[in-house]
Every structure is written in structure tokens, then in C-alpha cells.
Amino acid sequence: MKYILFGIVVLTVALCEAHLCLLNPHQRGTMNGINTAGANDCILLDGPCGGRKAMNPVVIVQAGEPFYVVFQKNLDHFNSTSPGKFVVSIGANSAEPSFQQVGMIADSNTTSLHLYTLNVTFPKMSTDHAVVQVTYVTNNPKAPPVFYQCADVLLA
């Protein structure tokens, strides 16, 4: 019984260790509590978009032009022996999207609620409704391997 309780505590801590919020473009769903470390809207574990359905695009992005993606490490989980990374990708809005990486930032020993800004250029695509995906690859055996956020954009 003692080992079962210990396992539950370890799993609970691991699930609460790393969160990712996507601020620009606006992530699917809400941004409730993002100024609080450990916000529920920032812990999405199911790929490709955390289980959240597509929304109507509210941001227009010029294909081939620089665009600033802003995201937040909502709760710090830096692994100094094997640092993770944040990956920005884009794909067509479809049932099984295929994503193309457009940028990456290595995880570092930053505090909870730290904001990252990444200047990316989105390629021209055969669709105007695209999905921007940001993933946090933790490289930490004590945490889930990947956290997901997506935003729907209109490519012009």
C-alpha cells in the first residue's frame, strides 16, 4: 500500500511539473489562469493539439513574412542533464495534420511563467486555414515526454 501511494504522489507531481501556454497566436480554448504557475489550460498531453478541436482562425499570418510566436513556460521543469526544447511547427487544418518545424528554442533554467518569443517564417501552403503547433519536449523521465498547444491561423 505504501508503494502504491508513493507511485500516485510521484505521478501527480510529474503531471504538474511542466505546462505550456501559447499566447501569440492565441491558443485553442481559454487562457484562464495563465499568470498562475500550473494553470489547467496549459497542461495538454495529447498530440497533436492537446485534444482541443479546431477553431475559426482569428489571426492572419503572411506566409513568407516574419511572425513572432510567443509562448510561456507556465511551470518550470528544466532537466540540466538533458535539456528539453520548445518546437514551433505549422500544418494544414485536417483530421491528421502533418507538421513542418519552423523554429526551436532549447529549454533553459528559466523560472515558471517565463515568456519565450521566437521569430519564425511560415511557408506558403495549399490551404488558408493552418494550425500553429508548439510542443515542449521535456527530455525528462520524471515528466510526460511532450506537452502540446495549437492555434488556428489564416495564411494570407
Side-chain angles (χ1 to χ4, degrees), residues 19-114:
H19 293 64
L20 170 69
C21 299
L22 178 55
L23 308 178
N24 186 50
H26 186 294
Q27 69 190 25
R28 291 179 177 178
T30 73
M31 291 194 194
N32 292 337
I34 65 165
N35 291 325
T36 303
N40 287 335
D41 276 339
C42 302
I43 183 170
L44 304 180
L45 302 173
D46 298 323
C49 293
R52 294 202 168 149
K53 296 181 180 179
M55 300 171 52
N56 289 328
V58 294
V59 173
I60 298 173
V61 176
Q62 290 294 125
E65 298 291 324
F67 181 83
Y68 287 98
V69 176
V70 180
F71 52 94
Q72 177 195 63
K73 183 197 296 189
N74 183 256
L75 191 61
D76 180 33
H77 192 57
F78 176 66
N79 179 5
S80 62
T81 59
S82 179
K85 60 186 175 181
F86 298 91
V87 178
V88 177
S89 303
I90 190 161
N93 181 38
S94 64
E96 295 291 327
S98 174
F99 290 97
Q100 175 185 344
Q101 181 177 326
V102 294
M104 189 273 300
I105 294 178
D107 191 15
S108 60
N109 193 16
T110 54
T111 61
S112 296
L113 307 179
H114 183 81

